[in-house]
């Protein structure tokens, strides 16, 4: 009996058949494991509502669903914490039910004109014209505090100068082409406008003053580092 079993095991055909069966078994196990891994459902965050471009993504815009893992790509964001607080890209709308992809979201700083989003409540954006000289050779930068002064020459040629507004926070400094002056430190750009926000009534006053330039009225900014408590004249 043992001799027959020995001859059976040592038979080349038997060894080949056993080897093939082992290979088939291994392939079947690996195949099943991969299929199971690919179809095993996982929970991922998706858009609960349609999110328009340049929109701040909040917690209530997100819900979780279960999907086969094979449908989740490398650039799919899987954690809500990596989504909330970001903005939908300026050229991307995220449809309701869509997964969140890394390239579809950006931070606030990456948004075009992000600095102009910090407008005070109830205020209006104002673009004040400047030159290299009136910007103090590019010394007026975003987050700089400035005062606005007015110079007036009356019919007798008497010059009067007084402070019109004080403690204005500069939001952005741009060239005549709309480029941020301080965006690229390797390029020297000429400032054409500084942007800040003011109350509507102040906005109207500034517009009116700017139209009086033909009557020898000149507005000019003066930068400083901290808030000045003195009253304007």
């Amino acid at each position: 009996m043992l001799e027959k079993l020995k001859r059976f095991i040592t038979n080349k055909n038997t060894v080949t058949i056993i080897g093939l069966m082992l290979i088939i078994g291994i392939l079947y196990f690996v195949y099943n494991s991969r299929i199971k891994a690919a179809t095993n459902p996982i929970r991922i965050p998706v858009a609960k509502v349609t999110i328009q471009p340049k929109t701040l993504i909040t917690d209530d815009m997100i819900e979780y669903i279960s999907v086969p893992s094979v449908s989740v790509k490398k650039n799919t964001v899987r954690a809500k914490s990596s989504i909330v607080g970001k903005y939908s890209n300026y050229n991307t709308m995220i449809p309701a039910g869509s997964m969140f992809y890394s390239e579809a979201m950006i931070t606030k700083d990456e948004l075009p004109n992000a600095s102009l989003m910090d407008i005070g409540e109830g205020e209006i954006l104002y673009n004040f014209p400047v030159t290299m000289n009136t910007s103090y050779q590019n010394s007026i930068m975003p987050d700089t505090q400035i005062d606005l002064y007015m110079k007036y020459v009356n019919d007798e040629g008497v010059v009067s100068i007084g402070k019109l507004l004080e403690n204005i926070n500069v939001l952005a400094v741009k060239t005549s082409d709309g480029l941020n002056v301080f965006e690229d430190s390797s390029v020297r750009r000429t400032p054409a406008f500084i942007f800040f926000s003011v109350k509507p009534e102040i906005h109207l006053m500034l517009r009116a003053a700017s139209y009086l330039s033909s009557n020898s009225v000149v507005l000019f900014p003066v930068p400083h580092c901290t808030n000045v408590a003195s009253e304007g004249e």
Side-chain angles (χ1 to χ4, degrees):
M1 185 67 178
L2 291 175
E3 186 65 26
K4 290 182 178 180
L5 181 61
K6 183 178 179 180
R7 286 200 301 270
F8 176 78
I9 294 174
T10 57
N11 186 280
K12 290 183 179 181
N13 292 333
T14 301
V15 172
T16 301
I17 293 173
I18 293 175
L20 288 174
M21 291 178 65
L22 287 172
I23 292 173
I24 292 172
I26 292 171
L27 290 175
Y28 179 79
F29 175 78
V30 172
Y31 176 77
N32 271 348
S33 298
R34 290 187 175 182
I35 292 295
K36 185 176 180 180
T39 57
N40 188 39
I42 60 173
R43 286 175 59 78
I44 62 164
V46 296
K48 189 175 181 180
V49 295
T50 297
I51 303 174
Q52 298 297 330
K54 299 190 293 185
T55 300
L56 175 65
I57 303 174
T58 57
D59 187 82
D60 59 348
M61 296 178 180
I62 302 171
E63 63 182 354
Y64 273 88
I65 64 171
S66 295
V67 297
S69 57
V70 69
S71 64
V72 180
K73 309 302 181 183
K74 288 183 178 180
N75 59 344
T76 302
V77 182
R78 305 190 184 193
K80 183 190 289 188
S81 59
S82 300
I83 301 171
V84 174
K86 289 190 175 180
Y87 287 77
S88 52
N89 210 333
Y90 60 89
N91 58 357
T92 302
M93 181 186 73
I94 304 175
S98 171
M99 300 179 191
F100 290 93
Y101 300 99
S102 54
E103 64 271 16
M105 299 179 298
I106 54 179
T107 63
K108 181 179 177 181
D109 291 339
E110 294 173 313
L111 283 171
N113 296 320
S115 58
L116 300 183
M117 297 177 64
D118 295 326
I119 298 176
E121 184 176 354
E123 295 186 343
I124 299 175
L125 191 66
Y126 189 89
N127 57 328
F128 187 87
V130 293
T131 63
M132 185 66 80
N133 287 335
T134 59
S135 69
Y136 294 79
Q137 307 302 313
N138 269 348
S139 295
I140 297 180
M141 298 179 289
D143 291 326
T144 300
Q145 296 286 320
I146 64 169
D147 297 332
L148 278 184
Y149 282 78
M150 182 177 72
K151 183 185 78 171
Y152 172 69
V153 182
N154 64 17
D155 294 337
E156 287 73 34
V158 177
V159 177
S160 299
I161 298 178
K163 186 190 296 182
L164 189 64
L165 295 173
E166 61 185 13
N167 300 328
I168 300 171
N169 185 58
V170 176
L171 299 176
V173 183
K174 291 179 175 288
T175 67
S176 58
D177 296 325
L179 300 175
N180 287 309
V181 170
F182 302 100
E183 186 176 46
D184 187 350
S185 60
S186 65
V187 179
R188 182 174 174 82
R189 293 174 175 172
T190 302
F193 297 96
I194 59 175
F195 291 79
F196 51 82
S197 62
V198 292
K199 297 294 183 182
E201 58 272 18
I202 302 298
H203 181 270
L204 289 175
M205 181 183 68
L206 289 175
R207 291 296 178 193
S210 67
Y211 295 138
L212 292 174
S213 58
S214 59
N215 294 336
S216 301
V217 173
V218 178
L219 301 179
F220 57 94
V222 177
H224 55 81
C225 296
T226 58
N227 286 354
V228 177
S230 62
E231 294 292 333
E233 298 178 19

